[in-house]
């Protein structure tokens, strides 16, 4: 099988449906993927970090916004909504505009502003989660002087890390996700011309990959060899240049055995040991 890509469930279903509608043999399998990252940060009282000039203006705004939100919030969800609203009253509207249709219709300046707003919200939420956990914040209870000099985390760039700093903390963050691998039978790639135009436009990279393999399979099917050939010669047939001024160069020689097995399942040839015999 030819791996097309890894997707979240909804998108995997969408890709698979396009392929099946065009007659492809499709396989969809779930798997768990992991992403890991080391993060380094200074952890300490805000006053202590201010003395080191580590507390920036944005951090002060985050602390102030949390204080204001805590005075009104009754639960965790409301707290974070109010917190973001203190930082940007229009944050919810901007978040709603972060969809494919709105982004396509927006001009470049507007798109940049929306992405900048999203990035700022992510940084603000990361700071807020640390602030919440480090200071035992409980929405709905009087805050008193809880956030007058809170414990905070200031994240560092790799070049800023001093291993001897007593305030230095490091953490390995691992995120596990359920993803879906979409694969197609190699021989069905020859159907690439039957794929819907929407697929060709919305999944252009995937279409290119299918087309590249499809051109090889198509050439093999249109010009089958007479008699027998060994797998090495078959692999040579899996190297292809198509076009003149714009050329598609495909080297599928290392995948030759998989392509041959796929064609064997379709009854196009027979594999015996290192020998391939094309069927009439």
């Amino acid at each position: 099988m030819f791996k097309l890509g890894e997707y979240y469930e909804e998108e995997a279903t969408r890709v698979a449906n396009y392929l099946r509608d065009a007659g492809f043999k499709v396989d969809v399998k779930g798997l768990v993927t992991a992403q890991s990252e080391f993060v380094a940060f200074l952890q300490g009282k805000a006053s202590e970090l201010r003395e080191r000039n580590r507390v920036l203006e944005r951090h002060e705004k985050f602390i102030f916004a949390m204080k204001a939100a805590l005075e009104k919030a009754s639960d965790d969800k409301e707290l974070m909504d109010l917190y973001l609203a203190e930082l940007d009253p229009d944050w919810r509207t901007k978040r709603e505009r972060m969809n494919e249709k709105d982004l396509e219709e927006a001009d470049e300046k507007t798109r940049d502003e929306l992405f900048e707003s999203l990035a700022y919200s992510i940084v603000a939420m990361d700071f807020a989660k640390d602030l919440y956990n480090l200071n035992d914040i409980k929405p709905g209870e009087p805050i008193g002087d809880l956030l007058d000099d809170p414990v905070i985390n200031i994240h560092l760039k790799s070049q800023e890390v001093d291993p001897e700093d007593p305030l230095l903390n490091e953490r390995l963050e691992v995120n596990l996700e359920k993803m879906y691998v979409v694969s197609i039978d190699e021989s069905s790639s020859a159907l690439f011309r039957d794929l819907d135009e929407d697929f060709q436009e919305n999944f252009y990279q995937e279409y290119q990959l299918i087309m590249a393999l499809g051109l090889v399979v198509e050439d093999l099917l249109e010009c089958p060899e007479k008699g027998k050939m060994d797998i090495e010669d078959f692999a040579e047939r899996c190297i292809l240049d198509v076009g003149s001024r714009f050329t598609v160069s495909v080297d599928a020689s290392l995948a030759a055995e998989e392509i041959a097995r796929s064609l064997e399942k379709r009854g196009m040839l027979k594999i015996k040991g290192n020998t391939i015999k094309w069927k009439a």
Side-chain angles (χ1 to χ4, degrees), residues 147-166:
L147 294 184
D148 287 352
D149 189 17
V151 178
I152 60 174
N153 284 343
I154 302 295
H155 287 257
L156 302 173
K157 298 177 181 178
S158 57
Q159 63 268 27
E160 296 176 320
V161 174
D162 177 4
E164 303 301 322
D165 194 322

Side-chain angles (χ1 to χ4, degrees), residues 90-155:
D90 295 328
W91 76 270
R92 194 181 296 277
T93 300
K94 292 176 181 177
R95 184 71 57 85
E96 290 173 353
R97 293 184 65 190
M98 291 294 295
N99 61 68
E100 186 175 344
K101 182 179 179 181
D102 283 347
L103 289 176
E104 286 179 354
E105 295 176 351
D107 56 43
E108 185 176 355
K109 181 180 178 182
T110 301
R111 284 197 298 270
D112 288 345
E113 289 174 351
L114 290 173
F115 282 119
E116 185 177 340
S117 173
L118 177 63
Y120 183 79
S121 295
I122 292 172
V123 172
M125 286 298 292
D126 285 343
F127 186 90
K129 289 174 183 176
D130 288 337
L131 192 66
Y132 183 96
N133 293 323
L134 292 170
N135 295 278
D136 195 27
I137 291 175
K138 297 178 181 177
E141 296 184 3
I143 63 171
D145 60 356
L146 182 64
L147 294 184
D148 287 352
D149 189 17
V151 178
I152 60 174
N153 284 343
I154 302 295
H155 287 257

Side-chain angles (χ1 to χ4, degrees), residues 80-92:
M80 291 306 173
D81 287 349
L82 289 169
Y83 168 73
L84 289 174
E86 288 289 336
L87 293 169
D88 181 0
D90 295 328
W91 76 270
R92 194 181 296 277

